[in-house]
Amino acid sequence: MFKRVARLGTALVLLVALWPQVPIAYGILGSCQADVDVHLVTQEAQTRFAFTFDDVSSIQRITINRPSAEFTINGATGESWNASNSNEEAVFIRGGPVASVIYVDALSGTSDASPADWIVTASDDIGGADAIDCLGGNLTTEISGSPIAGDTTGPVISNIFVTGLTTSTATINWTTDEPATTQINYGLNELDESFVSDTLTTAHSVALDSLQAGLTYYYFLSSKDASDNESTTGTNTFITKTTPTIAPNVTTVAKPGSSDLVPPTVTFDKVGGVFQSAPTFTGTASDNIALAAIEYSVDGGKNWLPADEVVGLGSVAAQYRFSPINLEDGDYIVLVRARDTADNSVVSEAQTVTIDALDPFIGGYVLYAGSQPLYPNGDGAIITVVNAELDLSVNAIGGATSVSVIARQAESGQDATFSLVDQGSDNLWTGKMLFSKAGVYQVRATSRDGGGNISTRELATIRVQSPATITDGGQSVKDATVTVFYQDIETKTWNEWDGSVYSQSNPVVVGDDATYSFLLPEGKYYIKVQAKGYRATLSNIFDVYQPTVIGANTVLKKRPGFSLGGLQLRLPWPSFKPTLDIQPGVTSTGVITKDATLPPFSLRRSDGQTVSTVSILGKPTVLSLVSPWSLTARQQISVLDTLPQDQVNVIAVGSGQNLSRLTSYARLAGFDAGLVADTENQLINGLSSGLTPTTYFIDRQGVVKSMSSKVLSEEEIINNVPF
Amino acid sequence: MWLQFFAQNFHFAVNLFAGLASLGVAWLYLDAWSNKHSKKEFLKWLGFGILGFAYLIEATVIEQTVLGSSPFGEFTQSFAAAAKVIGYITIAVGLIMDPLQEVPKNEGITFEVGNDQKQAPAQPVQPTVVAPTKQTLPAVSGFGTLSVIAAPMGSIAIAALYLRRATTGLERHLKPVFWAFALIGISDLASVASAYRDTTNPVFASWFAAFGWVWWFEHLSLALGIFFLGRWVWGYLTERFFSQLFMIFTAMVMMIFLVVGVGFTSLLVNNIQRDTLTKLATAVNVLGYAVDTKKSETTAVAEQLAASSDLASALITKDREKLISLTQSIIPSKQLSTLIITNASGQVILRAEDTSRWGDSLSDDPLIKRALFGVGQSTVSVKQEPGAPVLQVLSAAVIFDSSRTSIGTVMTGLDLNEAFVDRIKDATGLQSSIYGNDRLAATTLVAPDGKTNTLGVKIGEGAIKDTVLNNAAAYQGSVSLQSRQMLAAYTPVKDVDNQVVGALMVAEPRSSVLQIAGRSIQTTFVLAASLLVLSFVPTFFVSRSISRQLE
């Protein structure tokens, strides 16, 4: 008996010793460099210190020790880092695809302290083994001077981002430049849900749960500092995911004729991290009878593939190994499922791995209000109205793991942040934008990839108009009715415009604020404003050449009448003269004249030719930024195909698109001129507009003479070619 | 629509009566001229004769903004307008040439013998062209444009001349003629409003529109004026038995033509509308068959590829280059938007439309799943893109190796996009649209700018959505699309699980029904007016024969 046990033990030892070594998933950490952003603080100051690392791809754990005993660490945070702290140190452990900037909150003491370095160490081991010092950067901070009194400024809210987006949860993060309270108001239509915390902190994070899948949530943030100064953001948005990630689960089926209800078990070796190409995953599975299959999923459990290599199928224990092929940049939720011969199955815990081979880029974009594409006005700004919901689609290449759009109001400098969601194809991210205050906004998109790399691109200038008001010269006129009429293009008769197909109401009965606006498509219209006791007011007849926000401040006049006791009697009073002057002010082509130099480029076209800055010289050029995923761009491509290519260079550039996709589309569309692949945004980064389609008119010398961001007809293009 | 139809028939009837009344007056003056053969009487009967024919031609003119272009072009309208002005001028000259009747001498007061030459003759009224300021004149050319302004001047001048004769002169019996021409002048003046239909004032735009209230005012004024003129001339024509008989016969013939014309055109419009809806219902089914044909085509391509031994062997050996070479020409030649080859696990080995994307799994795709079980099927699915959805026909077939073991699948897809509906339009002339769920995915309808189509718009709330999308039934009726009133037929589109995923729609502008009818209406009117004129000859001889027998 003893010999048997001994032989079995020996066999086990040998098996373990001879078992092929699982390759180490994380890289070898050779060096580390970090910088801190604040080098001087006053006494008794609560400060957020940002530590920036040159490369975090191989770092699993970071420890930060205070520079002197005059500092008390009281907070730590970092995107996808699991942070903890004591008074002396802050510890960060990788929790997924992490950012390269982490934050430590610290309170300075009541005495000055000489300049001293923060002690920062990093390790490629979660436990902190073989940690190395992060040197080479500036980590010095000193305390000097008395505390600043009389704070009357509210905290500055910045760095708003959303993490942990699932079908039912989201975590809203933001920072303030001084310790402040945490408050979020959120909801679907009404912001009727809220979370409030009076704890003063500079790193704010609120986890929301019980959300509904696939819907747009609106929220605004408030933070109040110790002196009761409060700051509030505009309205921000995020969209919950539609497809849930399968949670670890066990399914017992018991095939007909089988009484086996015992599911298998599965282990899945931890690999998590950032990789340039797909890593190899390993693990084991076991079952009481026999294992039938081991499969994996890289999309959260939607689709499954058999593991590449499984040893032991058909027996009670098996080892598996797989390496997903051809993974593009991005985050992948990897799961393993083991199934036994009775069809009982088990799904492992999920692991998130990040593939990061390319830097992120923001490519072309389209902006819609409902079904209507929005284009810049004559001055280059896109016009919308307060509280109108806009749909934004952005092409983000380079394996973006999150894309946010930040709209900064020029007047106040306040940001509104809109989180986009991945559409799963064409590197397309979409989201909703809504502006709760009138003003001019500079809108930029920020893309982060799993390696912590960030790319930002200015998208557009959006001018948000206040809706038109209805007053009697002083007071708002509530319950006034505003009706839009359109001219039937066939019969020339005037009919009430059907707003419902454009997700709008017509007529509109205004509420307490007595405001209205319409986003009208192309056509001929007029507006009528009526209210009880007032003369009806009409606008002039006006033409709309592209979807345009329409509304005019209206002053209603009382109908003539008299009072009889408490009874007001008003005489009917017809209106003949239009008093609302509406001039949409958009030309039919929206062509903006400019003189600009084309950025140097050399790109491949779907027919194999190279198109470059030099190859277009000698003939005028029509260059359009297009994308197969954009409906309006496809419409533009079909127009470009009709242009006389012997007289004009016709170049259709697919920004952020690979050549094989464009080649296939050009063949399908029968587009003889071929599509040019600007895979890494060589051209789009040098041009002013990323809106698709945007058409540039370039003269024989390669100078951009004019441009237009909308679908142009053949005639409009020909008329603008600088022959 | 029926309002426009009745208004057009009212226009026909009023002008027919106007023609008859004018011809009656012409008859009266002709009778007077036949005794004396004076120039002034000649001009009067000639003028009224021309005016009568002008009204008969005007009766056949249809409102082109609503009823579409006339089969006679703009000729009839221009000709009628020109003839009317010439008639007015001729009558006016005739009236001016005819001196006023002498005023009788009163006892005790000595008057010189009246001298016609000393009386201030009325100046012939010259048609004045009033240059429009900001507005655009209507689309009538040449003399028609001039006549829009000249006609009211002519009729008002004639009214003034008759008033002079009835008040300054002694021809009190001509007062009704003054009232008649005063009302006709008002009608002609109201017709000038048609030149200002492009005004930017919405009140005036609706007033001046075809069949707007100024149009009705114009026609009612004319009807009242013609009533006065008709009653006046009837009183004189009935003085003689022959002329009375002639006018009775003519009026009866006209009434018969009028009743037949209006009744016929009414039936015509009704039938055209009913036929249009029936045709649309058939057409939307044809569109459904076209979608089914696309399913068959994609299935055929998938099965043909799946049956290829070269493809099977390339799949077994994972020879992607060979798979690419075998499939690269198929996408453009078959107009496919997607062509995917998977292995038996559902792993994508080739995505022909984007060869760089492969290796992912489609094991959850219902078509792939069914194909791997040996059931090749087709479906229609909705793909969401920015701005608008795309309806896609997808088919899958299983690939077997030489031992009939399933080794993978071929999935082919084709977008039901603008190119698809354009081809339908080219083949059938129908305006067709495709909805993905409740949003417009493809259409041949263009926006008022004539080039863009507002894809992504909703199907609208109410009966259409309830019937087609919620209850999976067909719908026919009137809808408002792209700033146009349309007659439309809808039918639901279902996926492989029999769930509604969209709708097909074919439509015709409602005005096209009137426009089709308009051409027939005008032809009917022209025929009726021509027959009416032709009937004058037998009516004349029959009347004369009867009257002679009685005499």
Side-chain angles (χ1 to χ4, degrees):
Chain A
M1 177 67 184
F2 175 76
K3 284 183 180 177
R4 278 186 189 171
V5 171
R7 276 203 292 272
L8 188 61
T10 308
L12 279 171
V13 168
L14 283 172
L15 184 65
V16 170
L18 296 175
W19 190 259
Q21 287 294 306
V22 175
I24 297 168
Y26 46 84
I28 303 301
L29 187 59
S31 65
C32 168
Q33 181 175 317
D35 288 275
V36 69
D37 62 338
V38 180
H39 304 292
L40 175 65
V41 294
T42 59
Q43 295 167 20
E44 298 178 53
Q46 176 68 40
T47 309
R48 162 154 291 197
F49 296 90
F51 292 83
T52 305
F53 292 79
D54 60 338
D55 180 10
V56 292
S57 58
S58 302
I59 298 176
Q60 298 291 325
R61 180 189 176 102
I62 295 170
T63 306
I64 298 176
N65 278 279
R66 58 185 178 174
S68 75
E70 283 300 317
F71 286 92
T72 304
I73 295 177
N74 54 16
T77 185
E79 187 179 347
S80 297
W81 290 99
N82 297 318
S84 60
N85 67 279
S86 65
N87 287 345
E88 291 83 24
E89 69 171 14
V91 178
F92 298 82
I93 296 172
R94 176 185 285 274
V98 294
S100 57
V101 182
I102 56 178
Y103 303 91
V104 172
D105 299 322
L107 181 66
S108 52
T110 53
S111 307
D112 285 356
S114 305
D117 283 351
W118 295 80
I119 299 156
V120 181
T121 61
S123 169
D124 54 11
D125 177 57
I126 288 173
D130 301 326
I132 60 170
D133 290 335
C134 295
L135 304 169
N138 187 351
L139 289 167
T140 305
T141 301
E142 68 171 298
I143 303 172
S144 178
S146 303
I148 298 167
D151 179 14
T152 57
T153 310
V156 176
I157 297 172
S158 61
N159 198 28
I160 304 166
F161 61 95
V162 180
T163 56
L165 260 179
T166 69
T167 52
S168 61
T169 62
T171 302
I172 315 298
N173 309 277
W174 72 98
T175 57
T176 45
D177 63 343
E178 59 178 319
T181 59
T182 300
Q183 180 172 342
I184 178 169
N185 292 69
Y186 67 99
L188 286 168
N189 297 313
E190 304 290 327
L191 305 187
D192 48 2
E193 301 281 343
S194 64
F195 171 86
V196 181
S197 166
D198 290 333
T199 306
L200 297 180
T201 179
T202 54
H204 307 263
S205 184
V206 180
L208 309 177
D209 55 16
S210 302
L211 306 175
Q212 295 180 49
L215 295 178
T216 302
Y217 278 84
Y218 301 92
Y219 65 95
F220 69 83
L221 309 171
S222 303
S223 285
K224 199 185 289 183
D225 66 15
S227 306
D228 258 7
N229 302 307
E230 187 173 16
S231 295
T232 304
T233 67
T235 306
N236 310 281
T237 63
F238 67 85
I239 301 175
T240 48
K241 289 195 170 177
T242 50
T243 311
T245 299
I246 287 186
N249 66 63
V250 171
T251 309
T252 51
V253 177
K255 266 184 179 174
S258 169
S259 58
D260 177 18
L261 285 171
V262 180
T265 58
V266 65
T267 66
F268 188 19
D269 299 334
K270 197 85 176 168
V271 169
V274 180
F275 302 87
Q276 286 212 331
S277 60
T280 299
F281 297 88
T282 57
T284 61
S286 62
D287 186 60
N288 62 326
I289 307 290
L291 288 159
I294 296 178
E295 300 163 307
Y296 71 93
S297 168
V298 294
D299 56 8
K302 188 167 187 286
N303 294 284
W304 297 87
L305 287 172
D308 300 339
E309 196 179 317
V310 183
V311 178
L313 272 189
S315 65
V316 296
Q319 296 85 41
Y320 65 85
R321 168 193 296 265
F322 64 89
S323 181
I325 52 174
N326 200 36
L327 288 186
E328 295 178 341
D329 278 20
D331 277 358
Y332 295 89
I333 300 166
V334 187
L335 297 158
V336 173
R337 181 170 70 185
R339 192 155 42 83
D340 67 14
T341 49
D343 268 358
N344 303 307
S345 65
V346 63
V347 176
S348 71
E349 289 276 356
Q351 285 195 55
T352 301
V353 294
T354 300
I355 307 298
D356 180 25
L358 298 170
D359 286 339
F361 289 110
I362 299 288
Y365 74 97
V366 290
L367 191 60
Y368 279 84
S371 61
Q372 302 182 69
L374 294 183
Y375 302 114
N377 206 334
D379 61 0
I382 292 170
I383 314 279
T384 184
V385 70
V386 167
N387 288 333
E389 199 174 74
L390 308 182
D391 295 302
L392 176 70
S393 297
V394 174
N395 177 244
I397 57 172
T401 55
S402 77
V403 177
S404 298
V405 172
I406 298 144
R408 173 160 295 176
Q409 195 185 26
E411 295 87 346
S412 66
Q414 199 173 59
D415 288 345
T417 302
F418 311 104
S419 302
L420 309 188
V421 289
D422 188 5
Q423 288 302 294
S425 65
D426 286 315
N427 299 313
L428 212 56
W429 291 70
T430 62
K432 304 268 187 196
M433 295 203 298
L434 181 140
F435 300 92
S436 54
K437 293 174 187 166
V440 177
Y441 291 80
Q442 292 299 328
V443 178
R444 66 182 192 278
T446 298
S447 166
R448 297 162 192 253
D449 71 5
N453 304 303
I454 294 175
S455 168
T456 298
R457 178 179 167 77
E458 294 294 329
L459 291 187
T461 301
I462 295 183
R463 189 183 307 132
V464 181
Q465 297 177 340
S466 296
T469 57
I470 303 173
T471 66
D472 59 3
Q475 298 295 311
S476 298
V477 180
K478 298 171 192 173
D479 300 326
T481 302
V482 188
T483 312
V484 178
F485 295 87
Y486 78 96
Q487 190 184 49
D488 187 305
I489 57 173
E490 303 279 349
T491 63
K492 309 295 181 199
T493 53
W494 290 93
N495 305 298
E496 211 170 87
W497 178 64
D498 182 6
S500 69
V501 298
Y502 295 94
S503 307
Q504 297 177 57
S505 297
N506 184 48
V508 169
V509 178
V510 300
D512 290 346
D513 57 352
T515 60
Y516 75 93
S517 66
F518 296 94
L519 179 65
L520 299 180
E522 294 88 344
K524 196 184 272 285
Y525 303 90
Y526 74 86
I527 287 176
K528 185 176 190 179
V529 184
Q530 295 166 284
K532 195 177 175 187
Y534 292 89
R535 300 179 197 177
T537 301
L538 296 163
S539 77
N540 56 307
I541 292 171
F542 54 90
D543 287 295
V544 174
Y545 295 107
Q546 66 182 45
T548 305
V549 175
I550 295 294
N553 290 339
T554 309
V555 179
L556 294 178
K557 290 181 180 171
K558 292 262 187 198
R559 294 207 310 260
F562 52 88
S563 297
L564 202 66
L567 190 65
Q568 290 275 334
L569 293 174
R570 298 281 168 196
L571 300 172
W573 198 264
S575 298
F576 299 110
K577 190 180 171 189
T579 52
L580 295 179
D581 185 29
I582 297 179
Q583 304 294 338
V586 177
T587 63
S588 60
T589 59
V591 172
I592 301 168
T593 305
K594 61 188 293 179
D595 265 308
T597 310
L598 205 60
F601 67 92
S602 179
L603 301 168
R604 288 193 62 203
R605 200 164 59 190
S606 53
D607 59 2
Q609 300 287 315
T610 298
V611 179
S612 68
T613 322
V614 176
S615 71
I616 65 166
L617 298 178
K619 264 202 299 190
T621 299
V622 174
L623 188 151
S624 274
L625 297 180
V626 295
S627 297
W629 52 261
S630 162
L631 168 70
T632 45
R634 289 201 302 269
Q635 289 171 342
Q636 190 65 79
I637 289 172
S638 64
V639 174
L640 293 175
D641 202 26
T642 63
L643 297 177
Q645 290 164 30
D646 53 333
Q647 299 167 40
V648 184
N649 296 313
V650 179
I651 303 176
V653 181
S655 58
Q657 304 289 309
N658 66 53
L659 191 61
S660 69
R661 169 88 169 98
L662 293 176
T663 303
S664 176
Y665 180 77
R667 280 190 195 144
L668 180 63
F671 184 47
D672 297 334
L675 288 164
V676 175
D678 188 10
T679 312
E680 296 184 4
N681 287 349
Q682 206 181 108
L683 192 53
I684 197 172
N685 282 342
L687 295 170
S688 55
S689 175
L691 190 67
T692 57
T694 295
T695 301
Y696 293 86
F697 299 96
I698 301 160
D699 70 7
R700 294 166 195 276
Q701 285 77 41
V703 178
V704 179
K705 303 305 285 185
S706 58
M707 60 169 284
S708 174
S709 289
K710 67 171 289 191
V711 180
L712 298 173
S713 68
E714 183 185 354
E715 186 186 358
E716 287 167 343
I717 292 176
I718 295 286
N719 287 343
N720 285 286
V721 173
F723 283 109
Chain B
M1 189 175 74
W2 284 102
L3 177 72
Q4 284 98 323
F5 168 75
F6 283 116
Q8 190 59 60
N9 274 294
F10 181 65
H11 168 88
F12 174 62
V14 168
N15 280 280
L16 219 52
F17 274 112
L20 190 67
S22 301
L23 290 173
V25 179
W27 175 285
L28 200 64
Y29 281 120
L30 176 68
D31 203 30
W33 174 78
S34 60
N35 293 329
K36 297 178 185 174
H37 287 89
S38 68
K39 277 185 188 173
K40 56 182 193 276
E41 300 301 336
F42 171 76
L43 288 175
K44 283 180 195 168
W45 79 254
L46 182 66
F48 274 101
I50 293 170
L51 192 62
F53 280 104
Y55 278 122
L56 288 180
I57 296 165
E58 177 67 28
T60 69
V61 172
I62 57 169
E63 184 54 62
Q64 295 191 39
T65 53
V66 176
L67 295 166
S69 58
S70 160
F72 305 99
E74 289 168 356
F75 171 76
T76 47
Q77 191 173 4
S78 301
F79 186 76
K84 193 191 274 187
V85 172
I86 293 167
Y88 284 152
I89 293 170
T90 312
I91 295 166
V93 172
L95 287 171
I96 291 162
M97 286 174 67
D98 189 8
L100 287 181
Q101 198 172 351
E102 285 182 17
V103 178
K105 292 174 185 174
N106 287 338
E107 196 177 339
I109 302 172
T110 306
F111 283 94
E112 286 185 8
V113 176
N115 186 344
D116 286 349
Q117 300 301 319
K118 288 182 179 175
Q119 289 182 4
Q123 295 300 311
V125 176
Q126 297 298 322
T128 308
V129 179
V130 178
T133 50
K134 293 178 182 175
Q135 313 296 349
T136 312
L137 286 171
V140 286
S141 58
F143 199 80
T145 307
L146 187 67
S147 65
V148 168
I149 313 299
M153 299 294 177
S155 48
I156 289 167
I158 292 169
L161 288 169
Y162 272 113
L163 179 65
R164 176 171 164 266
R165 302 194 78 81
T167 53
T168 309
L170 295 175
E171 297 165 274
R172 302 280 187 264
H173 62 281
L174 291 178
K175 260 196 175 173
V177 187
F178 152 71
W179 284 114
F181 273 94
L183 286 163
I184 292 169
I186 290 169
S187 171
D188 286 341
L189 207 57
S191 72
V192 177
S194 65
Y196 295 87
R197 285 180 182 171
D198 289 337
T199 176
T200 57
N201 183 317
V203 176
F204 295 146
S206 62
W207 286 2
F208 299 163
F211 309 129
W213 81 256
V214 172
W215 186 95
W216 282 103
F217 177 76
E218 173 196 337
H219 282 74
L220 288 170
S221 302
L222 178 64
L224 197 59
I226 292 304
F227 171 74
F228 281 121
L229 190 67
R231 200 177 68 164
W232 177 78
V233 75
W234 185 258
Y236 287 99
L237 289 176
T238 51
E239 294 295 319
R240 287 178 59 196
F241 183 69
F242 164 55
S243 56
Q244 184 183 12
L245 208 54
F246 176 75
M247 289 310 292
I248 287 170
F249 280 143
T250 305
M252 281 179 65
V253 170
M254 196 196 76
M255 288 303 292
I256 289 166
F257 281 134
L258 190 63
V259 170
V260 170
V262 171
F264 173 73
T265 53
S266 157
L267 285 171
L268 186 75
V269 170
N270 203 22
N271 283 341
I272 288 174
Q273 179 165 339
R274 199 176 57 225
D275 287 352
T276 303
L277 280 173
T278 308
K279 190 179 78 180
L280 290 174
T282 308
V284 81
N285 288 332
V286 171
L287 190 59
Y289 295 138
V291 173
D292 289 341
T293 306
K294 291 299 168 192
K295 282 185 191 173
S296 304
E297 283 177 19
T298 51
T299 303
V301 175
E303 286 176 349
Q304 189 184 352
L305 278 169
S308 161
S309 55
D310 286 347
L311 189 134
S313 60
L315 183 60
I316 290 166
T317 57
K318 296 184 179 174
D319 185 350
R320 291 190 69 252
E321 290 305 317
K322 188 168 184 188
L323 288 174
I324 291 170
S325 72
L326 287 170
T327 56
Q328 67 173 356
S329 63
I330 292 175
I331 284 214
S333 67
K334 302 293 180 186
Q335 287 291 299
L336 299 179
S337 57
T338 185
L339 197 171
I340 296 170
I341 295 171
T342 75
N343 63 17
S345 307
Q347 185 174 34
V348 176
I349 305 302
L350 176 71
R351 201 175 253 112
E353 71 275 17
D354 185 357
T355 53
S356 64
R357 283 179 58 222
W358 65 283
D360 54 316
S361 171
L362 292 177
S363 65
D364 189 51
D365 186 279
L367 277 187
I368 300 280
K369 270 184 189 171
R370 288 171 204 225
L372 286 171
F373 278 110
V375 184
Q377 280 188 324
S378 284
T379 191
V380 180
S381 70
V382 181
K383 190 170 61 172
Q384 191 58 48
E385 290 193 348
V390 174
L391 215 61
Q392 200 176 32
V393 170
L394 293 167
S395 297
V398 63
I399 306 170
F400 294 107
D401 64 7
S402 54
S403 60
R404 295 294 295 169
T405 304
S406 162
I407 58 167
T409 66
V410 176
M411 186 159 78
T412 53
L414 181 147
D415 289 351
L416 299 177
N417 54 16
E418 298 92 328
F420 174 74
V421 289
D422 284 345
R423 280 197 294 274
I424 295 288
K425 188 183 175 188
D426 290 344
T428 64
L430 286 168
Q431 300 281 13
S432 56
S433 301
I434 294 173
Y435 287 86
N437 296 325
D438 67 341
R439 289 187 178 271
L440 190 61
T443 184
T444 54
L445 293 168
V446 291
D449 65 2
K451 60 179 185 185
T452 55
N453 39 26
T454 49
L455 298 183
V457 296
K458 285 185 175 177
I459 202 167
E461 298 299 325
I464 301 170
K465 190 173 180 181
D466 284 346
T467 308
V468 183
L469 299 184
N470 298 340
N471 297 319
Y475 176 90
Q476 291 118 38
S478 184
V479 291
S480 171
L481 291 168
Q482 308 263 19
S483 296
R484 268 171 294 196
Q485 292 294 313
M486 311 282 278
L487 289 172
Y490 294 77
T491 191
V493 177
K494 298 175 186 173
D495 67 6
V496 70
D497 297 320
N498 222 23
Q499 298 295 309
V500 177
V501 294
L504 305 176
M505 184 268 278
V506 292
E508 272 194 23
R510 270 180 73 179
S511 60
S512 73
V513 174
L514 271 177
Q515 285 169 2
I516 294 166
R519 285 189 283 276
S520 302
I521 287 169
Q522 191 175 28
T523 310
T524 308
F525 287 174
V526 168
L527 201 62
S530 305
L531 289 172
L532 181 65
V533 172
L534 288 175
S535 72
F536 289 167
V537 179
T539 304
F540 177 83
F541 287 112
V542 169
S543 304
R544 195 174 66 173
S545 168
I546 293 172
S547 61
R548 279 182 180 172
Q549 285 174 34
L550 289 174
E551 282 168 6

